[in-house]
Amino acid sequence: MSICGERVEKNYRVIGLERRFEGATRSSFEKMTMDRQGQDIDEFISFVNLKDPVLIGHSLGSSVIMSYLSQFGDEKIASAIFVDQTPKMLNDSTWDAGVPGINEESISKILKTPILPLHKRPKLKVLWSLFSTMVLKEKSIASVKEKMPLYKDYLKGDWRKSLHQVSKPALFIGTEYSPFWPSRHAEICADLVQNGEFKIMEKVSHGAHMEDTTQFVSIVRAWIDQHGQ
């Protein structure tokens, strides 16, 4: 949300949570689990005293929200938005909306040769923001190798049962050209929750919010107008 947050802040308060192990956030490397990431959201909501926030997560950030919901329920939030993330990444006989051909052993190889998350080039302003943040001012204290335990835990996650318990409105945003999983996962996920909806963003890939901020913000604003507090 930091890239297009200014376009939402005109009407809403936008808080971009810097998760532990990202940016300059320091933490013991002994807590690299999705459970701990979910607990961080609960502690943050309480610390800032947020009232009925709309949680928005992209990719692993969506799984962090799912982890939070599985541990603490949805009582404290107004609704949630999940951007291009399936609740179960490993396919099996019960699930085929994950990453094709991936398993626990292959995650290290995949992270060493990451897939380009973009289908079309973002606007120059967004490109500069990415370049400035990720290259010129790169400040992450944990490398991909050091964060491998977290990524492996993320890979093994299965939050389908916890989604069944969500009663607050939930929006699943799929992308037409995601390189990781079929866009139909958004519709499948919407059926897992009591008040689920889905949208498929057109002509974008995994980095949807960066590739087409106008389309993304339009979806988010319409959702918050309807399901915010």
Side-chain angles (χ1 to χ4, degrees), residues 156-167:
K156 293 184 291 184
D158 183 355
W159 288 280
R160 290 176 295 174
K161 288 184 179 179
S162 62
L163 288 179
H164 282 303
Q165 300 172 3
V166 174
S167 60

Side-chain angles (χ1 to χ4, degrees), residues 99 110 113-118 179-180 205-206:
V99 185
I110 290 174
T113 56
I115 300 173
L116 182 67
L118 304 176
F180 301 112
S205 183
H206 189 60

Side-chain angles (χ1 to χ4, degrees), residues 28-63:
S28 169
F29 285 0
E30 297 177 354
K31 299 178 180 179
M32 287 193 173
T33 67
M34 294 301 294
D35 279 351
R36 179 64 257 186
Q37 297 266 314
Q39 292 162 20
D40 286 343
I41 291 185
D42 182 67
E43 292 175 7
F44 182 77
I45 290 175
S46 298
F47 180 76
V48 184
N49 194 28
L50 297 179
K51 303 299 183 182
D52 300 313
V54 176
L55 301 183
I56 304 176
H58 166 254
S59 194
L60 188 150
S62 288
S63 291

Side-chain angles (χ1 to χ4, degrees), residues 29 32 108 111-112 142-152:
F29 285 0
M32 287 193 173
S108 298
L111 289 173
K112 290 179 181 178
S143 67
V144 170
K145 183 178 180 180
E146 290 171 322
K147 290 184 285 189
M148 194 63 68
L150 175 62
Y151 292 135
K152 288 185 176 180

Side-chain angles (χ1 to χ4, degrees), residues 20-197:
R20 66 175 64 210
F21 314 124
E22 301 296 336
T25 302
R26 296 187 175 279
S27 177
S28 169
F29 285 0
E30 297 177 354
K31 299 178 180 179
M32 287 193 173
T33 67
M34 294 301 294
D35 279 351
R36 179 64 257 186
Q37 297 266 314
Q39 292 162 20
D40 286 343
I41 291 185
D42 182 67
E43 292 175 7
F44 182 77
I45 290 175
S46 298
F47 180 76
V48 184
N49 194 28
L50 297 179
K51 303 299 183 182
D52 300 313
V54 176
L55 301 183
I56 304 176
H58 166 254
S59 194
L60 188 150
S62 288
S63 291
V64 171
I65 295 175
M66 294 179 193
S67 173
Y68 161 76
L69 293 172
S70 72
Q71 297 178 78
F72 303 99
D74 60 5
E75 181 180 352
K76 296 180 182 179
I77 70 171
S79 66
I81 300 176
F82 306 94
V83 185
D84 204 40
Q85 176 63 51
T86 174
K88 178 173 166 56
M89 296 172 68
L90 298 180
N91 290 321
D92 56 27
S93 60
T94 68
W95 185 254
D96 65 353
V99 185
I102 195 174
N103 54 47
E104 294 183 39
E105 289 69 34
S106 64
I107 184 65
S108 298
K109 180 178 179 181
I110 290 174
L111 289 173
K112 290 179 181 178
T113 56
I115 300 173
L116 182 67
L118 304 176
H119 172 70
K120 65 179 182 181
R121 188 175 68 179
K123 294 180 179 179
L124 289 177
K125 183 178 181 180
V126 176
L127 280 175
W128 172 251
S129 177
L130 288 171
F131 179 74
S132 177
T133 301
M134 301 178 69
V135 180
L136 297 182
K137 299 179 181 178
E138 207 284 323
K139 58 180 181 179
S140 178
I141 64 168
S143 67
V144 170
K145 183 178 180 180
E146 290 171 322
K147 290 184 285 189
M148 194 63 68
L150 175 62
Y151 292 135
K152 288 185 176 180
D153 197 41
Y154 161 55
L155 174 71
K156 293 184 291 184
D158 183 355
W159 288 280
R160 290 176 295 174
K161 288 184 179 179
S162 62
L163 288 179
H164 282 303
Q165 300 172 3
V166 174
S167 60
K168 297 292 179 64
L171 175 65
F172 296 86
I173 300 178
T175 64
E176 184 176 3
Y177 296 114
S178 178
F180 301 112
W181 31 69
S183 60
R184 63 182 175 82
H185 85 271
E187 182 176 4
I188 295 173
C189 290
D191 287 337
L192 293 177
V193 301
Q194 298 176 38
N195 295 295
E197 297 181 29

